[in-house]
Amino acid sequence: MEATLYSIPGSHPAKAVGGMLDLKGIPYKRRDLMPVISKGVLKGMRFPGTTIPSLRVDGRKLTGSREISRALDEIKADPLLFPSDPTARAAVEEAEVWGEKVLSDAVRRILWNAIKRNRKPLKSFAEGAKLGVPIDLAVATAAPIIAAEIRIHKITDERVREDLAAFPGWLDQVDEWISEGVLGGDPPNAADFQIAAALRLAMTLDDLRPVIESRPAGELALRLVPDYPGKMPPVLPSEWLTGLRAPAAAAPPA
Ligand SMILES: N[C@@H](CCC(=O)N[C@@H](CS)C(=O)NCC(=O)O)C(=O)O
């Protein structure tokens, strides 16, 4: 069985699916598509959706990281991405949905907002990607793609500020799931991959990495996704980041 994973450069849910395939020992080829154009390509290939990740495996065409994680357990059960115990499974499913709908979407918004402010680092996110066009050309002509991404994902400054304000609470949530054993087990589960890949993408932003890396959440991200292309120097307005700074140590009692 060989699979084909459709990705765009820097896609965190595609990275999550790559980790799931590696865990299960399912060999796969990664095909990198240009953002936005990817939609037409997937439509032309008659995938059920037009988003990344999409996966062709075992005669099936799948779109969506959560659809894919479930299908992979059907296709090759060992090791399972979801626990067999119903209570444990419900906890992993809850974390996985949150990882996709809350964390992963927010990290995507934050990154595109940063790219809008500084397009130069875009090239670093395409490192190792085979897009079929020279990377420099793809980056030089990326302005309409960036504008389209901002539109498609409804990325406003206001929304990104809200995401950044919520971020410390989200890190607390991930750390809590790790301490409860919902995340961070061996082998990793579907929620581990979903959340670790999103946090790992967040760690490519110098504005965010310092508040993530030393926490259990950051350790999980680095363990499951040691390599991630891309590096975005500080670019977000500093007043957006005030809630993210480590609290100053309390003054010693007088
Ligand atoms: N939440 C979806 C991901 C949906 C999504 O927006 N994916 C992005 C890549 S991370 C995409 O399809 N981008 C297409 C584009 O940018 O043109 C999942 O986990 O499968």
Side-chain angles (χ1 to χ4, degrees):
M1 177 182 6
E2 184 169 273
T4 307
L5 171 60
Y6 293 88
S7 182
I8 59 172
S11 166
H12 45 318
K15 197 76 169 168
V17 168
M20 295 176 203
L21 291 164
D22 287 339
L23 177 75
K24 287 185 179 280
I26 301 175
Y28 68 96
K29 283 191 294 235
R30 197 189 73 206
R31 272 204 58 198
D32 299 302
L33 304 173
M34 284 282 277
V36 182
I37 291 160
S38 56
K39 295 192 177 297
V41 175
L42 294 172
K43 196 170 176 194
M45 286 192 293
R46 300 186 182 283
F47 273 91
T50 58
T51 53
I52 299 293
S54 287
L55 182 76
R56 189 195 293 266
V57 62
D58 200 28
R60 295 165 72 166
K61 285 180 186 165
L62 306 160
T63 295
S65 56
R66 288 192 298 119
E67 287 72 12
I68 292 171
S69 57
R70 278 155 190 75
L72 289 181
D73 269 4
E74 289 164 18
I75 291 164
K76 188 166 187 290
D78 188 27
L80 283 171
L81 289 163
F82 292 92
S84 329
D85 170 72
T87 311
R89 181 179 179 115
V92 169
E93 284 183 334
E94 186 199 354
E96 189 199 30
V97 172
W98 178 88
E100 189 211 351
K101 298 281 174 215
V102 179
L103 184 68
S104 172
D105 282 1
V107 173
R108 183 182 299 106
R109 285 191 291 270
I110 296 168
L111 182 71
W112 281 112
N113 190 282
I115 289 172
K116 186 183 75 169
R117 288 159 197 278
N118 181 6
R119 202 201 307 173
K120 264 199 198 141
L122 199 52
K123 184 175 175 181
S124 68
F125 288 87
E127 198 183 289
K130 294 174 216 93
L131 286 169
V133 286
I135 297 290
D136 284 323
L137 178 66
V139 171
T141 54
I145 300 266
I146 298 168
E149 291 292 343
I150 301 270
R151 207 176 48 244
I152 290 167
H153 299 292
K154 302 184 178 67
I155 303 170
T156 60
D157 283 1
E158 198 182 15
R159 189 73 202 274
V160 171
R161 280 189 89 153
E162 286 168 16
D163 291 333
L164 291 166
F167 212 84
W170 293 343
L171 293 173
D172 289 345
Q173 171 67 82
V174 175
D175 284 356
E176 198 178 311
W177 273 326
I178 293 171
S179 73
E180 291 168 358
V182 176
L183 299 177
D186 186 22
N189 60 45
D192 282 309
F193 285 113
Q194 181 76 242
I195 289 172
L199 288 176
R200 192 65 185 83
L201 177 59
M203 289 169 76
T204 63
L205 284 103
D206 285 352
D207 282 322
L208 293 181
R209 186 177 176 113
V211 295
I212 307 172
E213 65 187 343
S214 58
R215 309 177 53 133
E219 286 163 22
L220 177 73
L222 287 170
R223 180 159 61 80
L224 290 195
V225 194
D227 300 313
Y228 206 109
K231 183 166 164 55
M232 174 65 69
V235 66
L236 296 169
S238 63
E239 67 272 20
W240 291 16
L241 302 167
T242 44
L244 282 165
R245 300 218 172 87

